[in-house]
């Protein structure tokens, strides 16, 4: 059973969803400290052929607090209006915008709840159900090293196969994981291009951009365009 663990992000880029799709169980790492200026509450969309930052405020956000103790603001009008203006003429706007609105207006405002819904709604739209759980619901030693936390989460789930994004190569070594009975692999998105209304391609935008410009079959294809090493 393949397990992946990532912090919750707000409508992250396609590579994040590729990781979810690749593993059997995806763990939202919600009981670690919040990272300011990251992707937990913001991302980039496309407006007039250029990237545009969108942000959903997190009142009281602090790098001294755990992610699962924080919640998104309920004032979603500005971010929804920005997304609507950017993609109103996109081919799949009318199918996708209600999905985006449901996620942003989720009744439970906690960061893990909104981000989990953001993943679940996308895969439900694609008819590709995924298993997503919260690290805060798992019994493991939260005072140990980063590597041992990951290993203990995998052990608690009965997995000896851990998958990380390519950025994890700077943190984790395959030999170290293997010495502790767990196989470590890394997933990296291929160079992907899709039609963004005929202009020059802007990569690594929020999944919202992919959903707005691509039909479901194309998105399913894009989800499989990665390397594992």
């Amino acid at each position: 059973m393949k397990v992946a663990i990532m912090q919750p992000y707000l409508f992250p880029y396609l590579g994040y969803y590729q990781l979810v799709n690749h593993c059997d169980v995806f763990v939202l790492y919600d009981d670690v400290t919040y990272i300011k200026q990251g992707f937990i509450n913001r991302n980039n969309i496309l407006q007039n052929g250029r990237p545009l930052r969108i942000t959903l405020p997190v009142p009281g956000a602090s790098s001294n607090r755990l992610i699962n103790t924080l919640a998104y603001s309920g004032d979603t009008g500005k971010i929804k209006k920005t997304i609507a203006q950017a993609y109103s003429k996109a081919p799949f706007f009318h199918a996708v915008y209600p999905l985006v609105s449901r996620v942003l207006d989720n009744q439970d405002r906690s960061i893990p709840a909104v981000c989990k819904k953001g993943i679940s709604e996308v895969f439900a739209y694609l008819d590709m159900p995924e298993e997503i759980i919260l690290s805060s619901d798992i019994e493991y030693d939260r005072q140990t090293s980063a590597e041992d936390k990951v290993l203990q989460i995998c052990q608690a789930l009965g997995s000896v196969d851990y998958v990380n994004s390519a950025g994890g190569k700077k943190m984790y070594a395959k030999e170290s994981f293997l010495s502790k009975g767990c196989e470590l692999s890394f997933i990296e998105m291929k160079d992907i291009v899709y039609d963004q209304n005929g202009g020059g391609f802007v990569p690594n935008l929020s999944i919202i951009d992919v959903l707005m410009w691509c039909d479901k079959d194309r998105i399913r294809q894009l989800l499989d365009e990665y390397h594992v090493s």
Side-chain angles (χ1 to χ4, degrees), residues 4-60:
I5 306 169
M6 285 289 289
Q7 293 182 4
Y9 295 150
L10 182 66
F11 286 117
Y13 85 126
L14 178 65
Y16 188 106
Y17 288 82
Q18 288 181 332
L19 179 60
V20 178
N21 183 50
H22 177 72
C23 68
D24 300 300
V25 178
F26 184 76
V27 179
L28 275 178
Y29 212 5
D30 69 322
D31 52 354
V32 291
T33 53
Y34 182 86
I35 299 176
K36 299 184 74 173
Q37 308 303 318
F39 289 97
I40 293 177
N41 74 319
R42 62 183 188 169
N43 216 296
N44 294 305
I45 61 172
L46 190 70
Q47 185 179 66
N48 299 324
R50 296 184 178 183
L52 174 70
R53 177 64 52 84
I54 55 171
T55 302
L56 186 58
V58 178

Side-chain angles (χ1 to χ4, degrees), residues 10 54-56 75-84 104:
L10 182 66
I54 55 171
T55 302
L56 186 58
D75 185 4
T76 61
K78 181 179 179 180
I79 190 172
K80 288 195 299 180
K81 182 178 180 180
T82 300
I83 294 169
L104 293 175

Side-chain angles (χ1 to χ4, degrees), residues 45-220:
I45 61 172
L46 190 70
Q47 185 179 66
N48 299 324
R50 296 184 178 183
L52 174 70
R53 177 64 52 84
I54 55 171
T55 302
L56 186 58
V58 178
S62 167
S63 56
N64 295 319
R65 295 183 62 181
L66 299 181
I67 293 171
N68 61 7
T69 67
L70 294 166
Y72 292 115
S73 167
D75 185 4
T76 61
K78 181 179 179 180
I79 190 172
K80 288 195 299 180
K81 182 178 180 180
T82 300
I83 294 169
Q85 290 176 336
Y87 293 107
S88 62
K89 297 182 180 179
F92 300 99
F93 173 79
H94 294 292
V96 172
Y97 185 73
L99 179 161
V100 173
S101 292
R102 286 195 300 273
V103 174
L104 293 175
D105 290 333
N106 191 55
Q107 185 174 4
D108 185 342
R109 304 307 300 160
S110 73
I111 290 175
V114 174
C115 292
K116 182 179 180 181
K117 187 172 180 63
I119 300 170
S120 299
E121 284 275 356
V122 169
F123 281 101
Y125 172 74
L126 298 171
D127 299 315
M128 300 170 64
E130 294 292 335
E131 184 175 359
I132 306 165
I133 60 178
L134 304 179
S135 60
S136 57
D137 291 332
I138 301 172
E139 292 292 334
Y140 71 99
D141 183 2
R142 291 164 173 81
Q143 305 304 316
T144 191
S145 68
E147 180 176 302
D148 283 340
K149 287 178 184 178
V150 168
L151 288 163
Q152 287 189 29
I153 290 173
C154 289
Q155 184 178 25
L157 296 174
S159 172
V160 293
D161 193 344
Y162 176 63
V163 187
N164 206 100
S165 64
K169 292 180 180 180
K170 299 177 182 178
M171 297 177 57
Y172 305 129
K174 288 191 173 188
E175 295 78 9
S176 179
F177 270 67
L178 197 59
S179 70
K180 298 174 183 178
C182 186
E183 184 174 347
L184 170 64
S185 58
F186 298 99
I187 182 173
E188 185 170 8
M189 188 172 70
K190 294 180 181 179
D191 292 332
I192 285 174
V193 175
Y194 53 87
D195 184 11
Q196 293 173 328
N197 199 29
F201 184 71
V202 180
N204 299 325
L205 299 175
S206 165
I207 190 68
I208 293 172
D209 191 73
V210 181
L211 296 168
M212 291 290 188
W213 296 113
C214 302
D215 65 30
K216 294 181 182 181
D217 286 340
R218 177 60 176 148
I219 298 171
R220 294 187 192 102

